[in-house]
Amino acid sequence: MKAVRLTEPGKALELHEIPIPSFGALDVLVRVKAAGICHSDAHYRAGISPVRPLPMTLGHEVAGVVVKAGAEVRHLRDGDRVCIHYMATCGCCNYCNMGSEQFCPSGKMIGKSRDGGYAEHIVVPGRSAFLLPQQLSFEQAAVMMCSSATSLHALNKARLKVGESVAIFGVGGLGMSAVQLAKALGAQTIFAVDIRPNKLEMAAAFGAVPVFAGKNDPVAEIRKATGGRGVDVAMELVGLPITMKQSVASLAVFGRAVMAGISDRSFEVSPYDELINREAEIIGVSDHLASEIPQLLHWAVTGQLDLSRAITRRVGLDAAEINGVLDDLDSFSRDVRAVIMP
């Protein structure tokens, strides 16, 4: 089968011909119908977040059709449409039992520590595959498996309550889902912060208050709009020191800043002014949970989560095209989300 793989950090991905992977009794072999290209993949290619072992087939946003279900997989049949939770875990350790499987000691993330979806086929544990409702397209389902799922996990970690305010720093793939999910969870006011007017226009169409950070100080704009108070929840989805600092600076008393943007850079915080004097919190967000996927699918089916406008580019299983998308993500281009259609 064809697969687009990372062979060396800092180098372009390459198209390889590799065997269709074998699978066990608890696994499913899936024919990939759509694979999202995530900003994390650009970080993996660059070596900001290490990928092991190499070569590795990237791609952790995956939807497709079950070609063959293992003998002990009970909830799926051959031919079922599925979307895939990107953590392949043991299912029996303390972390898995408590529903925090992203910390499973033997867990592996598809597209990072085991082969992912930039390929014609993928093998995952059966428990990582969820039935995809007929109303949802493969491409929207694929994108949901990271950008939407991670955004929901971040909002859950932030303990967002009905009637609270949210500022979302970065309204690309994750941010466009975050705007809609914050609304579904009952946020009263949602600020969308970005430097790209087209992204702000889309966020505004979903009900967010656009804050253009290209010219103005977004923290000052948010504080002005909230009567000096600040926001209850700030979501940092970019991974830049400036946006990480701004997210904390925008918090109200008892505010919570959730950090989901991948970065290898640090940022400064004024402990007294920004944390102690507000009893504010900075919360790390790692991946998402399988238990959150059914709620996402429900919101998508009922129209509360619509990713059709967020998908702005479609490419084939072609190394040059995929590398081009990753180059654009490195430069924070106009594209919100790109999807591979093998």
Side-chain angles (χ1 to χ4, degrees):
M1 69 173 188
K2 293 180 174 62
V4 174
R5 316 192 83 194
L6 176 66
T7 60
E8 185 179 344
K11 297 294 183 64
L13 305 187
E14 299 176 3
L15 180 65
H16 291 177
E17 189 74 34
I18 63 174
I20 293 175
S22 58
F23 62 98
L26 294 173
D27 299 327
V28 289
L29 173 66
V30 175
R31 170 77 178 187
V32 177
K33 291 293 187 178
I37 302 177
C38 179
H39 206 145
S40 297
D41 294 328
H43 293 313
Y44 300 156
R45 185 184 66 164
I48 294 172
S49 183
V51 172
R52 298 186 184 93
L54 294 176
M56 177 69 68
T57 305
L58 298 189
H60 55 273
E61 301 179 349
V62 185
V65 174
V66 175
V67 175
K68 190 67 178 177
E72 296 182 32
V73 176
R74 304 302 180 202
H75 68 294
L76 296 171
R77 297 180 298 177
D78 299 355
D80 280 342
R81 304 169 80 248
V82 293
C83 50
I84 295 173
H85 174 45
Y86 64 49
M87 290 303 300
T89 57
C90 72
C92 58
C93 69
N94 287 338
Y95 288 117
C96 287
N97 287 333
M98 68 188 292
S100 294
E101 69 275 1
Q102 74 270 48
F103 299 112
C104 172
S106 61
K108 293 183 178 181
M109 180 178 172
I110 65 172
K112 188 174 191 287
S113 49
R114 61 181 280 164
D115 283 333
Y118 288 11
E120 294 178 313
H121 294 88
I122 186 173
V123 166
V124 295
R127 63 179 168 276
S128 295
F130 288 75
L131 275 171
L132 177 61
Q134 290 292 332
Q135 301 97 312
L136 301 181
S137 70
F138 289 114
E139 52 193 323
Q140 289 191 54
V143 171
M144 285 172 57
M145 292 300 98
C146 176
S147 61
S148 302
T150 301
S151 294
L152 177 58
H153 187 55
L155 289 166
N156 286 338
K157 291 287 291 182
R159 309 186 303 280
L160 176 66
K161 304 180 186 69
V162 173
E164 289 192 319
S165 56
V166 180
I168 300 167
F169 288 81
V171 283
L174 272 75
M176 215 58 70
S177 289
V179 169
Q180 298 177 72
L181 294 170
K183 185 176 180 180
L185 288 166
Q188 184 173 34
T189 306
I190 304 164
F191 297 97
V193 183
D194 209 291
I195 61 172
R196 298 286 185 179
N198 67 308
K199 294 180 180 180
L200 291 174
E201 290 172 9
M202 190 179 299
F206 286 121
V209 177
V211 178
F212 180 55
K215 289 185 178 180
N216 305 318
D217 176 1
V219 176
E221 293 290 314
I222 290 168
R223 291 208 171 272
K224 180 180 178 181
T226 57
R229 178 180 178 275
V231 292
D232 300 297
V233 171
M235 299 180 67
E236 203 291 321
L237 305 176
V238 183
L240 294 176
I242 186 172
T243 49
M244 290 187 279
K245 184 170 179 59
Q246 289 169 344
S247 66
V248 175
S250 70
L251 293 177
V253 171
F254 305 133
R256 291 89 65 197
V258 285
M259 303 289 172
I262 295 177
S263 180
D264 60 352
R265 301 163 68 183
S266 59
F267 70 103
E268 293 184 355
V269 174
S270 176
Y272 181 75
D273 290 338
E274 296 178 333
L275 296 179
I276 296 171
N277 200 36
R278 300 177 190 167
E279 289 202 358
E281 303 172 48
I282 299 174
I283 303 168
V285 178
S286 179
D287 303 312
H288 59 269
L289 307 177
S291 60
E292 293 165 330
I293 291 176
Q295 181 68 75
L296 283 176
L297 294 173
H298 169 74
W299 278 328
V301 168
T302 58
Q304 295 178 81
L305 177 62
D306 177 11
L307 299 179
S308 59
R309 283 177 283 179
I311 299 170
T312 56
R313 189 172 175 184
R314 294 160 180 83
V315 299
L317 191 60
D318 179 274
E321 287 188 294
I322 294 169
N323 281 308
V325 173
L326 294 174
D327 291 341
D328 289 342
L329 288 171
D330 278 334
S331 61
F332 297 94
S333 78
R334 292 175 57 87
D335 283 330
V336 175
R337 215 56 167 180
V339 177
I340 300 166
M341 308 292 287

